[in-house]
């Protein structure tokens, strides 16, 4: 089940990258030092820190809403793994 959670997470990341490239970055424009720019250069992280991270792909709309629909696959599989792991340890402790 943990492997399913990992696959769901990386699937979510891949989905958000595709969504950002298709829907967000082509329409994202700004002005930096008097020059018109577009794409990831205009994100808040790039403007403040000069770097980006993987989370930038689900920070902006509509990628945020679309990724939010895929996120429960990761979330619920991880919760299920944590619950089953807890009960397995509890069972091992009770049965020695």
């Amino acid at each position: 089940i943990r492997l399913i959670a990992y696959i769901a997470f990386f699937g979510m990341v891949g989905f958000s990258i595709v969504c950002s490239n298709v829907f967000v970055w082509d329409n994202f424009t700004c002005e930096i030092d008097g020059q018109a720019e577009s794409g990831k250069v205009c994100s808040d992280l790039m403007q403040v820190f000069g770097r980006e991270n993987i989370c930038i792909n689900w920070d902006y709309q509509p990628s945020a809403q679309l990724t939010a629909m895929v996120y429960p696959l990761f979330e619920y599989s991880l919760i299920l793994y944590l619950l089953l792991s807890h009960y397995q340890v509890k069972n091992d402790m009770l049965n020695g």
Side-chain angles (χ1 to χ4, degrees):
I1 293 177
R2 182 173 57 175
L3 181 62
I4 293 170
Y6 289 158
I7 291 170
F9 176 76
F10 287 112
M12 181 197 74
V13 169
F15 179 79
S16 69
I17 290 171
V18 170
C19 287
S20 290
N21 288 334
V22 171
F23 298 117
V24 177
W25 303 127
D26 293 338
N27 303 317
F28 213 66
T29 58
C30 65
E31 188 172 315
I32 299 175
D33 297 330
Q35 294 182 352
E37 298 284 344
S38 65
K40 290 184 181 182
V41 178
C42 296
S43 71
D44 295 332
L45 284 174
M46 285 295 287
Q47 290 181 5
V48 174
F49 298 109
R51 295 182 164 253
E52 61 184 49
N53 62 18
I54 196 70
C55 299
I56 197 172
N57 291 301
W58 56 83
D59 281 346
Y60 299 101
Q61 312 305 333
S63 181
Q65 281 102 1
L66 295 173
T67 303
M69 290 189 289
V70 177
Y71 179 73
L73 295 173
F74 161 66
E75 182 181 27
Y76 294 146
S77 61
L78 186 64
I79 289 171
L80 180 63
Y81 165 72
L82 292 172
L83 286 173
L84 292 177
S85 178
H86 168 74
Y87 287 120
Q88 179 67 41
V89 170
K90 184 177 178 180
N91 184 40
D92 290 346
M93 293 297 287
L94 291 175
N95 295 325

